[in-house]
Amino acid sequence: MEFIDLKAQYAHLKDKIDARIRKVLDHGNYIMGPEVQELEEQLADYVGVNHCISCANGTDALQLALMAFNIGEGDAVFVPTFTFFATAEVVAYAKATPIFIDSDERTFNIDPAKLEAAILKIIKEKRLKPKAIIAVDLFGLPANYPEIEAIAAKYNLKLIEDSAQGFGGSINGKRAGGFGDIATTSFFPAKPLGCYGDGGAIFTNSDEIADLIRSFRVHGKGIDKYDNIRIGVNSRLDTIQAAILLEKLAVFPQELNSRNELAAKYNASLKDRFVTPYVPEGYVSSWAQYTVISDNRDAAMATFKEQGVPTMVYYRTCMHQQTAFADLGCRDTDFPVASRLAKQVFSLPMHGYMK
């Protein structure tokens, strides 16, 4: 059994994907070819926003978002502590300071009440300027944007949605990738919508932000790539990856239905053994991972292994526990929920072609 069976997905789409790749090989526009613009248009339409700007990977997407907001030294950016390293890494790379926030114990996502408490603490201390929030849609479930957006507006903070794991999820019909001032995603192969390499995208309704990010992603270009009007980066999606994603996006709704059917079967069979995932009313998860809580994780994972079922842990180490952030002086007692989750959670196989 595969944890995420990309081979099964390719077998299902082989003829269409192969035809798309052959078309790219025939026209030879390997960087920013016509498939890239086609994909951007389809993704913007799928999410329901005005603009989608593709880029090289999900980490670059977050970095480009911070660049668009001119975030830098002396700024505070509020991020969950229970997340992948890139969420906080891009903040530190921008020379800003990540302020870690504990998790909601039912959804695992950033806790809005603790977020607001941390904002008030930073305002009171006056050593940093509160500038932005990065909320992560963990394991497929969108964060609590009705509350988070209200908090961002109350304190005049920019809100960035990291929908890399939540892409395909929704809240009351509004799709992940459509929340906040900017949303980002990753097309890493294991993501709900993944390519066969690295890739990412940024979503926004702002014409100004979209134009700025389009410039930033190609060395700060102006009229053309040899007219550089600002300092940017080199972060473009390869045309072949865009071609692959176009075919995967076409069947993405059906894959999401399969994932949700599988999650329902997991819930029914595992509810008496583990704490199964919680999806609030009005929310839809894209099930990037199916993650349960166990007080005896190692033994539970060993039992599944004996039965030929692979398992994974996301995440054993919170951001406040990472060596790279040791100088921030955080303690596990500051983040009791996330610190406990890091010792309890594990994930079971989940993909759209699981029998």
Side-chain angles (χ1 to χ4, degrees):
M1 178 181 287
E2 299 285 341
F3 188 77
I4 299 174
D5 196 343
L6 297 175
K7 293 179 182 178
Q9 183 190 49
Y10 175 61
H12 181 74
L13 298 173
K14 184 180 188 310
D15 291 344
K16 292 181 179 180
I17 288 176
D18 289 356
R20 279 280 190 177
I21 292 174
R22 280 196 302 270
K23 187 176 179 181
V24 176
L25 295 174
D26 286 341
H27 67 56
N29 295 318
Y30 300 117
I31 303 295
M32 302 296 285
E35 286 80 3
V36 173
Q37 183 176 348
E38 183 182 355
L39 176 67
E40 290 176 344
E41 291 172 353
Q42 288 195 23
L43 286 170
D45 182 66
Y46 177 83
V47 171
V49 295
N50 293 337
H51 302 281
C52 170
I53 307 97
S54 60
C55 62
N57 56 69
T59 303
D60 280 4
L62 288 170
Q63 182 183 344
L64 287 163
L66 295 181
M67 291 170 68
F69 293 139
N70 196 31
I71 289 171
E73 192 168 2
D75 293 334
V77 180
F78 301 88
V79 303
T81 187
F82 191 58
T83 184
F84 181 62
F85 188 68
T87 311
E89 180 183 31
V90 293
V91 177
Y93 190 78
K95 299 189 184 306
T97 302
I99 305 299
F100 301 127
I101 310 298
D102 204 2
S103 305
D104 178 291
E105 61 184 344
R106 293 194 299 174
T107 66
F108 309 155
N109 282 326
I110 193 169
D111 185 320
K114 293 173 182 176
L115 169 63
E116 185 167 22
I119 293 169
L120 290 170
K121 183 174 183 289
I122 293 298
I123 291 172
K124 183 178 181 180
E125 290 176 352
K126 297 182 179 180
R127 61 185 178 88
L128 296 169
K129 180 181 179 181
K131 198 73 174 281
I133 302 163
I134 301 177
V136 178
D137 302 340
L138 203 62
F139 303 154
L141 185 70
N144 186 349
Y145 290 107
E147 291 190 30
I148 296 170
E149 288 182 331
I151 292 170
K154 181 177 180 180
Y155 297 100
N156 194 29
L157 301 177
K158 299 297 184 182
L159 175 57
I160 299 167
E161 176 195 3
D162 181 350
S163 69
Q165 293 184 34
F167 196 80
S170 62
I171 302 176
N172 297 323
K174 184 174 181 178
R175 282 179 169 150
F179 297 99
D181 299 284
I182 294 177
T184 69
T185 196
S186 165
F187 300 126
F188 184 78
K191 293 296 189 287
L193 180 64
C195 58
Y196 292 157
D198 269 322
I202 302 100
F203 302 90
T204 183
N205 283 314
S206 167
D207 296 346
E208 180 182 356
I209 289 174
D211 287 343
L212 189 57
I213 291 174
R214 288 190 182 102
S215 172
F216 276 138
R217 73 170 168 178
V218 187
H219 302 289
K221 78 179 184 70
I223 297 172
D224 57 47
K225 66 179 181 179
Y226 298 113
D227 173 35
N228 306 102
I229 60 176
R230 54 180 60 88
I231 301 300
V233 297
N234 179 22
S235 185
R236 300 165 298 189
L237 181 66
D238 293 346
T239 309
I240 286 178
Q241 300 300 341
I244 292 164
L245 285 165
L246 282 165
E247 292 305 328
K248 288 195 172 191
L249 182 60
V251 299
F252 190 51
Q254 297 96 291
E255 290 185 359
L256 288 176
N257 288 338
S258 296
R259 286 170 174 265
N260 275 277
E261 290 172 4
L262 176 58
K265 291 180 179 180
Y266 268 143
N267 288 341
S269 63
L270 298 176
K271 62 183 180 180
D272 295 331
R273 296 171 58 190
F274 308 108
V275 178
T276 54
Y278 170 73
V279 179
E281 186 173 352
Y283 286 62
V284 173
S285 176
S286 60
W287 300 105
Q289 280 89 36
Y290 182 88
T291 302
V292 299
I293 294 175
S294 172
D295 289 332
N296 196 351
R297 179 172 67 191
D298 290 346
M301 292 175 68
T303 298
F304 279 111
K305 184 177 181 179
E306 290 170 2
Q307 298 171 334
V309 179
T311 57
M312 298 283 286
V313 176
Y314 306 96
Y315 298 94
R316 292 182 184 273
T317 308
C318 298
M319 292 303 98
H320 73 272
Q321 298 168 330
Q322 295 284 358
T323 303
F325 296 119
D327 61 337
L328 295 179
C330 299
R331 301 166 298 179
D332 285 357
T333 52
D334 299 326
F335 313 97
V337 175
S339 298
R340 185 173 70 251
L341 290 174
K343 298 176 181 177
Q344 294 177 320
V345 298
F346 71 96
S347 302
L348 290 162
M350 169 60 74
H351 56 85
Y353 297 89
M354 198 167 161
K355 295 180 180 179

